[in-house]
Amino acid sequence: RLGLRFPDESRRPLVSQLVQLPVWRTVGSLMRSDWARVTICIPALPFLPLLLQLSMLHQAVRIRRGIYRNSQLRQVAPTSPDGEAAAETMEGGRTASAPKNIVLPKQLWVTPSVNKALGEVRRWDWLSVIVKAYILSGIWFAYTICPLCLNKFLSWFNDYLMDAGLRFETIVVITFVTGVVAFLLPPVPGLTVYIFGGLMLSGTCPQGFWWGAMY
């Protein structure tokens, strides 16, 4: 028998060791930011009523089966004055001290895990979250609608320049300026600008299609 002894740190669970790593601390701080919360909440918001209904059904089944009948865990309601989730555990007839505002798990409408998550959500800075939600929604709207509107505008602008009777040199300058301005706009895709310039120059070049394509 080898008299090997391992340090206490090796006996700790692997999860608790990973949590102490700097990278996980950084990830945790990022996940607690309002931007991360908004990024998760916006796609999940349409499914929230269904998730709450499933949690209520799950809680009803648990209560019906009597799972909480001999439960030794009491959770603090999310409306506690200190705003922090806590628990009271009874071991061997002795009860640990806990806040007065406590509820039994069987008194909840949803499961204890969902109730804890709702308590965390209630403590968010909702003014900051809503402002950032409007910002992200505006960015998504711009990247979705702007390419469609740009296609319509460039199609009309193409027909307008062809019917205006301008000189080819003037059309080249207008096409170049339009392309530069379009490329400076982040929501504008480059493919649309390339197609506009190719159709415009090849269709209005006096020397023909191929000379206009080379321009």
Side-chain angles (χ1 to χ4, degrees):
R1 179 180 176 181
L2 297 177
L4 296 179
R5 298 187 63 183
F6 297 93
D8 295 337
E9 288 76 6
S10 62
R11 302 176 184 177
R12 298 173 57 186
L14 180 60
V15 176
S16 62
Q17 295 183 16
L18 293 176
V19 171
Q20 301 300 326
L21 295 177
V23 62
W24 286 110
R25 294 180 181 179
T26 304
V27 172
S29 61
L30 291 177
M31 292 302 297
R32 287 190 295 269
S33 65
D34 291 339
W35 288 107
R37 291 168 176 173
V38 170
T39 305
I40 296 174
C41 286
I42 290 179
L45 193 60
F47 305 99
L48 183 60
L50 178 60
L51 294 177
L52 291 178
Q53 291 178 6
L54 290 177
S55 180
M56 294 173 64
L57 179 61
H58 190 190
Q59 178 72 356
V61 171
R62 285 184 172 185
I63 295 175
R64 185 68 177 177
R65 294 179 58 188
I67 295 179
Y68 299 130
R69 187 173 303 168
N70 298 322
S71 177
Q72 294 181 339
L73 179 65
R74 296 180 181 178
Q75 290 193 345
V76 176
T79 55
S80 59
D82 55 0
E84 297 292 337
E88 180 182 19
T89 307
M90 295 183 295
E91 298 178 354
R94 294 178 300 177
T95 304
S97 60
K100 296 181 180 180
N101 190 10
I102 58 176
V103 292
L104 295 174
K106 63 181 180 181
Q107 296 175 339
L108 300 175
W109 287 91
V110 293
T111 58
S113 58
V114 175
N115 181 69
K116 181 180 179 181
L118 292 177
E120 294 290 339
V121 171
R122 288 191 183 99
R123 290 191 291 272
W124 289 0
D125 184 4
W126 278 102
L127 180 59
S128 176
V129 170
I130 292 175
V131 170
K132 291 178 175 60
Y134 274 108
I135 294 174
L136 288 183
S137 299
I139 293 174
W140 177 83
F141 180 82
Y143 273 90
T144 304
I145 302 300
C146 284
L148 301 177
C149 297
L150 181 66
N151 291 337
K152 299 296 183 181
F153 170 75
L154 293 181
S155 178
W156 167 83
F157 196 48
N158 189 12
D159 296 337
Y160 175 79
L161 291 180
M162 286 186 176
D163 298 337
L166 300 176
R167 298 182 56 179
F168 180 69
E169 292 79 5
T170 305
I171 294 178
V172 171
V173 174
I174 294 175
T175 304
F176 176 77
V177 174
T178 304
V180 170
V181 173
F183 274 119
L184 292 176
L185 301 176
V188 174
L191 180 61
T192 304
V193 180
Y194 293 144
I195 295 176
F196 166 74
L199 294 176
M200 176 59 62
L201 298 182
S202 61
T204 57
C205 182
Q207 288 83 15
F209 173 83
W210 293 110
W211 283 98
M214 286 188 292
Y215 279 109

